[in-house]
Amino acid sequence: MKKKSSAPRQSLGNLLPKLVVAPTFVIAIIFIYGFMLLNAWLSFSSSRLLPTYDWAGTIQYEKLFANDRWWVAAENLLLFGGLFIVICLLLGLFLAIFLDQKIRAEGAIRTIYLYPMALSFIVTGTAWKWILNPELGVQRLVREMGFESFTFDWLVNTEMAIYTVVIAGVWQSSGFVMALCLAGLRGIDDNIIKAAKVDGASMPLIYRKIIIPGLRPVFFSALIVLTHIAIKSFDLIVALTGGGPGFATDVPATFMYTYSFTRGQIGLGSAASMMMLMAVAAIIVPYLYSELRKKKDEH
């Protein structure tokens, strides 16, 4: 009798976690993947101010690729994304190596470096907008110190404005890379380093030949995350520059928002968002494939 009574309890215990997770799973399917499919359909429709569900072929993509502002946004994303990713990786690695030297107050310093990650991009963009504003920030401060000819007007300079976005993005995200690299450094076997020292290798050579190559998986993970951040960096740019001056800091995310919700061209905005999705997929899918293949090979 005890075995019969325990069977329903066991089946209920197995079913309960699935019932708890089911609503979240259904909501994710509908409101994430469902709307992704809806957006894909709208990109092939003739939607303008309001969505329509007719089939118009690739006309929206043809308009998108014929739009000069789209190519400006794409170039800005390549420039911003390239600098943002490279500087974050290099600066994060340098900070991780610095903290790995068992310095005093490591916990406090690590917290300071990681603190920007606790802020949203809206807060980061607003703060750096004040700092870089020629009338309020660095330029005014230096001039009040007596250097009247000092100029730092990147925020309002069409040629340099994109670099202010890089500065703000690096300030927020380099601490994240530092944390990943530091965890990787702490995971390297000390016996390998000791053996290299016994063979007469210097620390710079050990870092170059042994430690940094051993962080390859960490760099790859950081690259995936940073690329994703760069592609969807809408809130940082809106808060910092608003896409300006002119279109100097316009990126695909701001382009999509402007055409979808300001200019009443939902179909064109949907096509732009699908191009962003494909850019993310081009990075995420190979990564997932390599991870699944690696696990399959291990088994």
Side-chain angles (χ1 to χ4, degrees):
M1 295 296 291
K2 290 183 178 179
K3 290 183 178 179
K4 290 182 179 179
S5 62
S6 63
R9 290 182 181 179
Q10 186 175 0
S11 61
L12 181 61
N14 294 332
L15 184 61
L16 187 59
K18 297 177 182 179
L19 291 175
V20 172
V21 174
T24 303
F25 181 76
V26 171
I27 290 172
I29 290 293
I30 295 174
F31 290 98
I32 296 178
Y33 299 102
F35 280 110
M36 285 170 59
L37 292 174
L38 175 61
N39 184 78
W41 180 266
L42 290 177
S43 70
F44 290 102
S45 71
S46 60
S47 301
R48 290 186 63 83
L49 182 61
L50 295 174
T52 59
Y53 304 100
D54 59 326
W55 179 262
T58 60
I59 186 170
Q60 300 294 355
Y61 291 93
E62 293 171 10
K63 290 181 180 179
L64 181 67
F65 296 140
N67 192 315
D68 292 337
R69 183 173 173 180
W70 166 255
W71 293 111
V72 171
E75 289 176 7
N76 286 338
L77 178 61
L78 287 175
L79 179 59
F80 162 67
L83 291 174
F84 169 71
I85 292 169
V86 170
I87 296 174
C88 279
L89 289 174
L90 293 176
L91 185 57
L93 176 62
F94 173 79
L95 294 174
I97 293 174
F98 172 68
L99 289 178
D100 195 44
Q101 308 307 309
K102 306 298 189 296
I103 62 173
R104 291 183 178 181
E106 177 189 333
I109 296 175
R110 186 170 62 243
T111 302
I112 292 172
Y113 289 153
L114 282 173
Y115 173 74
M117 279 297 296
L119 303 176
S120 69
F121 268 130
I122 289 291
V123 175
T124 298
T126 302
W128 278 97
K129 185 175 183 178
W130 294 338
I131 294 171
L132 299 175
N133 189 319
E135 303 298 324
L136 301 173
V138 175
Q139 177 175 297
R140 179 176 178 178
L141 176 64
V142 174
R143 287 186 176 183
E144 288 179 351
M145 294 170 61
F147 301 93
E148 295 293 337
S149 61
F150 177 80
T151 301
F152 190 71
D153 61 349
W154 286 13
L155 191 65
V156 295
N157 187 325
T158 56
E159 298 295 328
M160 305 300 294
I162 191 65
Y163 300 106
T164 64
V165 184
V166 175
I167 292 171
V170 167
W171 179 80
Q172 174 150 1
S173 301
S174 57
F176 165 74
V177 180
M178 177 212 69
L180 288 181
C181 290
L182 186 59
L185 290 172
R186 297 286 165 84
I188 293 176
D189 190 355
D190 290 337
N191 293 326
I192 300 176
I193 300 174
K194 291 178 182 177
K197 287 182 178 179
V198 170
D199 291 338
S202 63
M203 282 307 297
L205 183 62
I206 292 173
Y207 271 103
R208 194 170 74 250
K209 296 292 186 179
I210 299 174
I211 297 178
I212 294 179
L215 296 177
R216 191 172 300 166
V218 174
F219 289 137
F220 193 65
S221 298
L223 177 65
I224 295 295
V225 175
L226 292 175
T227 303
H228 182 254
I229 291 173
I231 292 175
K232 68 181 188 65
S233 55
F234 170 80
D235 40 3
L236 174 63
I237 292 173
V238 168
L240 180 60
T241 64
F247 305 139
T249 57
D250 206 17
V251 293
T254 54
F255 175 94
M256 178 274 297
Y257 180 86
T258 300
Y259 275 83
S260 295
F261 303 107
T262 303
R263 297 199 174 190
Q265 298 189 40
I266 292 178
L268 186 63
S270 298
S273 64
M274 289 306 299
M275 295 302 298
M276 293 169 57
L277 178 62
M278 285 187 274
V280 173
I283 299 166
I284 298 296
V285 171
Y287 172 72
L288 293 177
Y289 175 77
S290 65
E291 288 296 314
L292 293 173
R293 187 176 180 180
K294 187 187 299 181
K295 289 181 181 179
K296 187 177 180 180
D297 293 340
E298 289 175 355
H299 291 299

